[in-house]
Amino acid sequence: MSKLNRVLRQADIKVISVDVFDTLLLRTTRPELQRFRDFVQKQHAFFLLEDFFSVEELYQSRLRAGKVLYDRIKNTDGNVEVTYQDICLQMQTELPLLKQLQNDWWRNFLAIELAQELTGLTPRKDLWDLLKHYENKGKTVIFSSDMYLNTSSLGFLLEKLFDEGGDTEIYVSSDLQKTKRQGTLYRLLLEKFQIEPRQMIHIGDNFVSDIFIPKAMGIQTYYLPRSLLWRLLQSIRKKNYANSLRRKG
């Protein structure tokens, strides 16, 4: 944090943009696909769906929905992002009985997922405190994420994990249909705050979307990756879990 503090002191930095997941909110090494199973198990139990379809059927529909939707946007120009509602409605095409739960059943699915997310997130309070310090000095602090969860969902997580999370400015690809990985979200932010690229710094853990892309646009960046041990363990667990799914077919 001391090195980042020295960087943020620069007088010409007007806007500090921060990635959310694995930068400000730290996840465990549990693989994403395994976390999806955790969400589905809770959703299945909450709605008492055992008489309609199994946890495994619901889980497989979630995996297929994600694959279909993300495959669909691969050939776009970066101004398209998958939303949580998109995922749920795609699941509904395979499991039409989901529609019989209620008109906005996916909102309850989202609430369950967010509650489960909270159990696996650790807030980085040293970073939060540093950001608040510079916000009090007049710099604008915002949070930006490429994510299927929407702005209010990320706001909920921040508010639950930090005492002052409710008044944050959040910019999410799923709401704005602009992405960091294509640079369109960064362009939107530069236009919104009417600043030159050098007057903005972005902090994140993904070398491509958080560092390479904004740096190529002239935006200052600060790489804040997870530890080497975390990345190694996460990679091993991800590979092992993917292999177990393949064995199951």
Side-chain angles (χ1 to χ4, degrees):
M1 286 298 104
S2 59
K3 183 179 177 182
L4 177 57
N5 184 30
R6 290 194 296 272
V7 173
L8 296 181
R9 274 188 208 144
Q10 297 175 66
D12 60 340
I13 292 179
K14 305 297 183 186
V15 176
I16 303 170
S17 169
V18 187
D19 175 53
V20 178
F21 293 104
D22 286 318
T23 299
L24 184 66
L25 302 182
L26 304 181
R27 285 183 165 134
T28 68
T29 58
R30 194 168 181 80
E32 181 179 53
L33 297 184
Q34 202 164 2
R35 287 189 291 106
F36 289 167
R37 183 181 287 280
D38 297 338
F39 303 152
V40 164
Q41 286 176 329
K42 296 286 185 181
Q43 292 157 348
H44 190 271
F46 178 85
F47 280 104
L48 305 174
L49 297 174
E50 190 59 48
D51 291 338
F52 303 98
F53 37 79
S54 67
V55 171
E56 187 62 26
E57 288 174 305
L58 188 60
Y59 178 56
Q60 289 299 325
S61 74
R62 170 71 186 260
L63 296 184
R64 284 191 293 270
K67 186 176 188 312
V68 167
L69 293 170
Y70 282 102
D71 283 348
R72 192 177 295 166
I73 68 170
K74 278 181 181 177
N75 297 321
T76 67
D77 59 3
N79 289 331
V80 178
E81 181 65 288
V82 173
T83 70
Y84 189 81
Q85 186 177 8
D86 291 337
I87 292 169
C88 289
L89 294 181
Q90 182 64 34
M91 290 169 65
Q92 186 177 285
T93 63
E94 292 193 17
L95 302 173
L97 285 172
L98 286 171
K99 192 174 183 180
Q100 296 182 25
L101 299 177
Q102 57 195 57
N103 289 335
D104 58 350
W105 62 270
W106 64 271
R107 295 184 189 277
N108 279 327
F109 265 46
L110 174 58
I112 293 167
E113 181 159 330
L114 292 176
Q116 185 65 24
E117 276 275 25
L118 283 172
T119 67
L121 291 171
T122 300
R124 190 160 190 173
K125 293 188 177 180
D126 57 347
L127 177 56
W128 180 265
D129 290 342
L130 184 63
L131 296 171
K132 285 298 174 180
H133 169 75
Y134 281 102
E135 190 172 58
N136 291 335
K137 286 185 171 292
K139 295 183 188 289
T140 298
V141 175
I142 63 174
F143 301 96
S144 52
S145 181
D146 279 354
M147 185 58 172
Y148 60 82
L149 294 177
N150 60 19
T151 303
S152 61
S153 296
L154 268 61
F156 169 81
L157 294 175
L158 291 176
E159 191 167 5
K160 288 292 182 182
L161 292 165
F162 298 103
D163 292 339
E164 305 172 69
D167 59 351
T168 53
E169 284 194 64
I170 303 170
Y171 298 86
V172 188
S173 58
S174 58
D175 277 344
L176 299 170
Q177 293 299 298
K178 308 283 185 184
T179 68
K180 292 190 297 180
R181 61 184 177 270
Q182 294 290 341
T184 51
L185 181 54
Y186 294 118
R187 282 197 288 273
L188 181 148
L189 294 173
L190 293 174
E191 292 170 6
K192 174 179 174 58
F193 292 103
Q194 297 185 336
I195 54 174
E196 296 297 319
R198 62 179 177 79
Q199 295 177 304
M200 177 175 164
I201 186 169
H202 180 73
I203 304 165
D205 71 296
N206 186 294
F207 188 77
V208 176
S209 61
D210 291 320
I211 305 300
F212 180 79
I213 297 297
K215 185 172 284 189
M217 299 172 66
I219 295 168
Q220 297 192 58
T221 62
Y222 192 89
Y223 189 35
L224 201 62
R226 301 301 302 270
S227 71
L228 182 59
L229 177 59
W230 185 93
R231 284 178 281 164
L232 178 61
L233 290 174
Q234 201 269 347
S235 177
I236 292 171
R237 294 188 71 181
K238 180 179 179 181
K239 182 178 180 179
N240 288 342
Y241 189 71
N243 288 337
S244 73
L245 288 179
R246 291 190 194 99
R247 286 193 295 269
K248 291 179 181 178

